[in-house]
Amino acid sequence: MGLGKRFISGGEEVLEEVITIYGEKLLRYATAILCDYQEAEDIVQDSFIAAYENRKGFDGENLSAWLYKITYNLSLNQLKKRRILYYSEIHKKEVVKEKDQGLSDEILRALGKLKPKERALLYGRIMEEQSYEELSELTGVSPSTLRKRYQRVKDKLAKEINNEYDRKGFKYE
């Protein structure tokens, strides 16, 4: 029996297994959306609690997609609570780096200038290697629209990165 099916009827031992498998991935995902490591930790914890409490309504088919969707929705709800969905407010917010994420300060600042949904799209495509169909399930946006958005977001990020590096006197290609 697969992990998704075991999760539906399982107890805390299956929940621990799910946390072990998906915890770090969801934490990176939530951090990419929220730009705040501590807040992302809370969201991921809430995601696992929500998944566990609502596991009877889960079909058992794609546990990963279901967990990402819960994390995505809770992250966006958190942003609404913080009232930072507007570009200008996100622009002012610094990325909180608790752990080394392997990205330069310039790239993190450039990412911080993107909207949360844009960061989520980039993260899903690049870091998680999700298909447009998988991302469509997650966001409710058609795959063809996501393809167009992805290209625009990549171009926007490249421009922001170049702006960051231009301030230091060199160009990022």
Side-chain angles (χ1 to χ4, degrees):
M1 183 184 321
L3 183 58
K5 297 286 187 196
R6 288 189 297 126
F7 184 72
I8 294 171
S9 60
E12 290 180 17
E13 67 286 342
V14 177
L15 176 61
E16 287 179 25
E17 184 179 349
V18 169
I19 290 170
T20 299
I21 293 169
Y22 294 104
E24 284 298 316
K25 292 177 183 180
L26 293 176
L27 182 58
R28 287 190 302 269
Y29 182 64
T31 301
I33 296 170
L34 297 167
C35 286
D36 186 304
Y37 185 82
Q38 286 83 19
E39 207 166 37
E41 285 181 317
D42 293 340
I43 291 299
V44 171
Q45 184 177 14
D46 291 346
S47 297
F48 283 122
I49 290 169
Y52 188 73
E53 288 175 348
N54 296 296
R55 67 190 187 279
K56 300 294 183 196
F58 172 56
D59 66 7
E61 289 306 312
N62 192 341
L63 182 59
S64 175
W66 190 58
L67 292 172
Y68 272 94
K69 187 166 191 155
I70 292 170
T71 304
Y72 176 79
N73 288 330
L74 289 177
S75 295
L76 292 184
N77 288 341
Q78 182 63 26
L79 288 173
K80 288 176 188 171
K81 288 178 191 172
R82 288 185 352 205
R83 297 175 188 239
I84 65 163
L85 282 176
Y86 301 104
Y87 175 79
S88 62
E89 290 181 48
I90 293 170
H91 174 70
K92 296 174 192 171
K93 183 160 177 53
E94 282 295 318
V95 175
V96 176
K97 294 192 312 187
E98 185 70 21
K99 292 183 178 181
D100 177 23
Q101 299 187 17
L103 300 173
S104 71
D105 289 340
E106 292 81 12
I107 292 176
L108 288 171
R109 277 193 299 275
L111 282 168
K113 292 176 183 175
L114 298 178
K115 295 176 184 176
K117 289 182 180 184
E118 292 172 333
R119 290 192 303 265
L121 176 59
L122 281 173
Y123 188 84
R125 283 293 295 153
I126 296 168
M127 301 301 289
E128 293 298 321
E129 300 177 345
Q130 293 173 318
S131 70
Y132 290 110
E133 289 73 21
E134 290 170 316
L135 290 167
S136 177
E137 279 183 41
L138 182 67
T139 62
V141 177
S142 76
S144 61
T145 300
L146 288 172
R147 277 185 192 84
K148 291 174 190 170
R149 283 185 188 171
Y150 178 67
Q151 188 56 51
R152 284 194 304 265
V153 172
K154 279 191 340 183
D155 294 344
K156 183 177 178 180
L157 180 61
K159 180 181 174 191
E160 293 296 341
I161 290 171
N162 278 327
N163 290 340
E164 289 294 327
Y165 280 108
D166 278 347
R167 286 188 229 162
K168 293 204 170 193
F170 59 93
K171 202 81 159 162
Y172 177 80
E173 300 288 333

